[in-house]
Amino acid sequence: MKSSKIIEKIRSMSLEEKIGQLNQIQLEDTEQIREEIRKGRVGSIILADTATAGNDEQKRIDMNLLNELQQIAVEESTAGIPLIFGRDVIHGHHTVLPIPLAEAASFHTELIEKAYRAVAKEAASDGVHWTFSPMIDISRDPRWGRCIEGFGEDPYLTSEMGKAAIRGFQGEDYKNTESIAACAKHYLGYGAVEGGRDYGKTEISDYTLRNYYLRPFQAAVEADVATVMNSFSEISGQPVASSRYLLHDVLKEELGFNGFIISDWASIAKLVSHRVAKDEKEAAMLAAGAELDMDMVDRCYIEHLGELAAEGKVSEETIDKMVYRVIYIKERFGLFEHPYAERKQINYEEHLSFAKQCADESMVLLKNNGVLPIGQSEKIAVAGPFLYEKRSHLGSWAPDYDAGMLKSIQEAFLDCADKDRFIFPQLPYLWDDILLTLREVNTVVLALGESARVSGENNCLTNIDFPAEQLALIKKIKAMGKKLVGVMCFGRPIALGEAEPYFDAILYAWQSGSCAAQSIADIVCGNVNPSGKLPMTFPRTTGQIPLYYNYPSFFGNGMAYYGEGDNYWDCKSTPMYPFGYGLSYTKFEYSEVGCENNTLTLEELQNGEKFRVSVIVTNTGKYTGKETAQCYISDLVSSMTRPVKELKGFSKIFFNQGECREITFELGFEELGFYNGSGKFCVEPGEFDVFIGGDCTTDNKVKIAVVDEK
Ligand code: BGC
């Protein structure tokens, strides 16, 4: 139901004021901007100084300036519509959470929601109304620097994480001054850029789009996300910014999205670089024709839409529809009631405890030959290029971080009660100088990693193999006969094929935010039991990319890309570490999968009945710990090729020592269905294997069947 108040408001506005609502500009403290706001030519301001704000230092937010500009919009412009201030509050504000890819490794949606709620409070207290997060692009290519901003390779996990972030940002009551509007980005298919080159082209069939890339956006719309941002890329010849099919027909009509679409940075003007528009006027015409609602920073709309409307090339009715969506979101998020920013009381201690829990639960133990946790009285050397590093733990997109919250790994070990048993040989150094120091210990914990500069927007790599200079270091230390623990502070998955044999244990710590160092020390010392699981496949070597678990079945190989096939002469085909994989200090055993009701008719499924599949999981090890049980399906025969396995449920549960718990997953029409060759969502009768286990390679399964009685 449309709001008659908003319709009335739009009726009272001039065409220039309407187009103003569709115009987002960059913040500047100038008279010219004040004048533009006064004339109603600005609907939103982005608080970003540069086009790649995730990589560059940004000015801190000046709340007084925001309030002054807001006052001009509300009190001095004729329409009196408040501005909406947007900033990239991606995975934290003053308190920084792990990078989203690491958050996904937590498989803990309640925690992520709580943590994003805290982030929303911090951002709202600085005057931010709207964030350009979460990024829910599926990515199967770790060379692509932006894979760290999303939740990995799987549509279901990405959907669940995306919904949690949206719920956290927007809260239950959108008008609450601690809630901010979220933005699902980058619609659509951006993660599939060829060769992992940012902004590049993508080639995606409608079948793949709907079954993989669209699913998280569908989930975001179901979670009532306020805004959606388009991808810079083209899909099979059509830039998304000018695709009426994707923006209007699929997103708005088919999925029922009722918020507004914001263009990515100057991506309307970029239609000229794509050479589908001869100039910015034509670009504005194409984007408005696709009903892309708000124009980020390139001024194509404000400069050209008036003229285009006068020439009949864009109808005023279309403009009204776009303006309606913008005002609707401003209204829903309470901007008319409370346009001005007010500082809030923030409980930073509580927020840091959320960031710490997220870091604890995100880190993934990839290998452990019994060296971790380190012995309680053993003398340990902690060294490596990341020993003193702080900023890189935050990853890309941390413009507002509070440096006072950050610790280095060395500082975190020095905070331990038994700190005297740690020695910190300094590297790099003359190698001979540390030999004597290392002689005192049997175990060396090496803090390794990559800087925050090599990932994020437009920061891609051709080679994700373990860095050569760090490999040289581990070889030297291993040659001394030491036990080696690798703490790996990388944003993206790294190909560990060559380096892995040198390590006795590997803790993949990612870039885990404000509390990364404390979580590393706690896990290494055994105060925290690691529980992260991989949200993206780790290849052995760069050349295996793309390597992902949910690949369609093909001849000769039950596990598709993951199988022991003979795809390559020079490398094993299997991944180094599969999707969903992660060790714990304790051990979990799974019973056989059981199913209460192995057969359902199609009609029963359509009426909401579900299969209930369960396992009993037992903690048989020596520690308390958390396990993420994962449920996968495999559609055995279907009209189109289907993935060998697809994640359809997960459940992260805490276990006491010796404790056993029954875990049940429900599989209904939604879980068993897919978009067929005609783009129709359907369940095809037949058999499915249902797997439950600790990662995607599990073969613990039960068969179920959907029968068609008609
Ligand atoms: C990025 C977006 C970001 C926007 C605003 C663009 O370059 O692709 O993810 O939200 O800038 O800073």
Side-chain angles (χ1 to χ4, degrees), residues 317-549:
E317 194 195 335
T318 301
I319 294 174
D320 285 356
K321 282 199 316 193
M322 291 153 68
V323 175
Y324 181 94
R325 287 172 177 267
V326 173
I327 301 181
Y328 171 71
I329 291 301
K330 290 184 175 180
E331 206 282 320
R332 282 193 88 188
F333 281 81
L335 264 67
F336 288 89
E337 285 100 318
H338 39 77
Y340 301 108
E342 260 174 55
R343 283 255 177 266
K344 311 252 167 11
Q345 200 59 25
I346 304 277
N347 184 346
Y348 284 106
E349 219 168 280
E350 186 189 42
H351 293 190
L352 268 175
S353 84
F354 296 150
K356 171 72 167 54
Q357 282 174 54
C358 289
D360 286 350
E361 303 226 2
S362 297
M363 296 186 183
V364 187
L365 183 64
L366 294 178
K367 180 175 183 181
N368 191 11
N369 290 344
V371 272
L372 285 181
I374 51 173
Q376 296 212 328
S377 51
E378 201 190 328
K379 196 158 192 178
I380 304 280
V382 187
F386 264 64
L387 189 59
Y388 308 107
E389 182 58 37
K390 291 187 181 175
R391 172 62 185 84
S392 280
H393 292 300
L394 305 180
S396 178
W397 294 116
D400 299 289
Y401 78 94
D402 178 346
M405 290 179 181
L406 282 179
K407 288 202 168 160
S408 69
I409 292 178
Q410 186 199 35
E411 286 167 347
F413 276 94
L414 284 173
D415 280 347
C416 297
D418 52 356
K419 63 173 192 277
D420 293 339
R421 71 192 180 107
F422 299 112
I423 57 168
F424 304 99
Q426 300 218 358
L427 297 169
Y429 226 152
L430 274 182
W431 179 247
D432 308 352
D433 287 346
I434 66 162
L435 281 179
L436 277 177
T437 333
L438 286 185
R439 213 172 255 174
E440 292 175 48
V441 300
N442 288 325
T443 306
V444 180
V445 174
L446 265 190
L448 305 160
E450 68 184 7
S451 89
R453 279 178 294 278
V454 295
S455 53
E457 185 171 354
N458 206 17
N459 287 334
C460 306
L461 295 175
T462 59
N463 183 359
I464 60 145
D465 291 352
F466 189 75
E469 66 291 352
Q470 300 187 44
L471 184 61
L473 177 67
I474 61 174
K475 283 183 179 169
K476 278 189 162 176
I477 297 178
K478 194 63 196 167
M480 293 175 75
K482 305 295 169 194
K483 286 187 186 150
L484 202 54
V485 175
V487 171
M488 306 216 174
C489 307
F490 291 89
R492 53 160 62 77
I494 286 291
L496 287 166
E498 196 183 346
E500 191 266 355
Y502 295 97
F503 291 103
D504 296 280
I506 300 174
L507 176 68
Y508 214 77
W510 311 100
Q511 292 164 335
S512 282
S514 303
C515 297
Q518 293 94 316
S519 292
I520 290 168
D522 274 342
I523 292 177
V524 169
C525 296
N527 305 326
V528 167
N529 189 351
S531 61
K533 302 265 192 176
L534 295 180
M536 220 172 152
T537 302
F538 274 46
R540 294 172 187 277
T541 181
T542 305
Q544 280 178 295
I545 298 169
L547 184 63
Y548 50 95
Y549 86 96

Side-chain angles (χ1 to χ4, degrees), residues 46 51 88 132 146 185-186 229 232 264-265 296 397 457:
I46 181 168
D88 291 281
F132 306 114
R146 303 202 79 169
K185 71 185 189 188
H186 307 83
M229 184 187 291
F232 282 125
D264 199 352
W265 191 283
M296 185 187 282
W397 294 116
E457 185 171 354

Side-chain angles (χ1 to χ4, degrees), residues 93-152:
H93 193 60
H94 302 305
T95 311
V96 181
L97 309 176
I99 52 166
L101 187 61
E103 289 167 5
S106 76
F107 278 76
H108 196 329
T109 48
E110 296 82 15
L111 176 61
I112 296 303
E113 176 176 342
K114 212 161 55 174
Y116 273 90
R117 189 81 207 121
V119 170
K121 280 185 197 168
E122 291 183 11
S125 171
D126 276 356
V128 175
H129 300 132
W130 172 27
T131 174
F132 306 114
S133 176
M135 183 181 112
I136 50 174
D137 297 310
I138 301 294
S139 53
R140 297 159 166 177
D141 193 335
R143 292 171 299 181
W144 185 50
R146 303 202 79 169
C147 70
I148 69 144
E149 298 174 44
F151 300 114

Side-chain angles (χ1 to χ4, degrees), residues 206-402:
D206 213 54
Y207 176 64
T208 303
L209 257 192
R210 284 176 181 277
N211 284 300
Y212 293 89
Y213 295 97
L214 187 65
R215 299 307 288 269
F217 286 92
Q218 200 170 356
V221 171
E222 278 159 25
D224 205 20
V225 70
T227 66
V228 169
M229 184 187 291
N230 70 278
S231 151
F232 282 125
S233 298
E234 63 158 275
I235 302 180
S236 308
Q238 177 67 267
V240 178
S242 58
S243 170
R244 185 168 172 86
Y245 168 66
L246 289 176
L247 300 182
H248 175 268
D249 301 354
V250 176
L251 181 61
K252 292 183 176 176
E253 292 292 308
E254 201 180 308
L255 302 189
F257 171 61
N258 57 20
F260 69 85
I261 306 174
I262 172 82
S263 67
D264 199 352
W265 191 283
S267 61
I268 299 181
K270 287 194 175 92
L271 291 173
V272 179
S273 333
H274 281 294
R275 299 212 235 151
V276 295
K278 68 173 185 299
D279 53 23
E280 293 190 356
K281 183 175 169 189
E282 195 176 11
M285 183 185 82
L286 293 175
E291 298 194 23
L292 195 171
D293 305 299
M294 188 185 275
D295 176 1
M296 185 187 282
V297 307
D298 59 25
R299 293 183 165 266
C300 289
Y301 279 0
I302 197 73
E303 301 291 337
H304 303 292
L305 271 190
E307 212 181 318
L308 286 164
E311 291 165 7
K313 292 188 175 145
V314 173
S315 73
E316 196 159 345
E317 194 195 335
T318 301
I319 294 174
D320 285 356
K321 282 199 316 193
M322 291 153 68
V323 175
Y324 181 94
R325 287 172 177 267
V326 173
I327 301 181
Y328 171 71
I329 291 301
K330 290 184 175 180
E331 206 282 320
R332 282 193 88 188
F333 281 81
L335 264 67
F336 288 89
E337 285 100 318
H338 39 77
Y340 301 108
E342 260 174 55
R343 283 255 177 266
K344 311 252 167 11
Q345 200 59 25
I346 304 277
N347 184 346
Y348 284 106
E349 219 168 280
E350 186 189 42
H351 293 190
L352 268 175
S353 84
F354 296 150
K356 171 72 167 54
Q357 282 174 54
C358 289
D360 286 350
E361 303 226 2
S362 297
M363 296 186 183
V364 187
L365 183 64
L366 294 178
K367 180 175 183 181
N368 191 11
N369 290 344
V371 272
L372 285 181
I374 51 173
Q376 296 212 328
S377 51
E378 201 190 328
K379 196 158 192 178
I380 304 280
V382 187
F386 264 64
L387 189 59
Y388 308 107
E389 182 58 37
K390 291 187 181 175
R391 172 62 185 84
S392 280
H393 292 300
L394 305 180
S396 178
W397 294 116
D400 299 289
Y401 78 94
D402 178 346

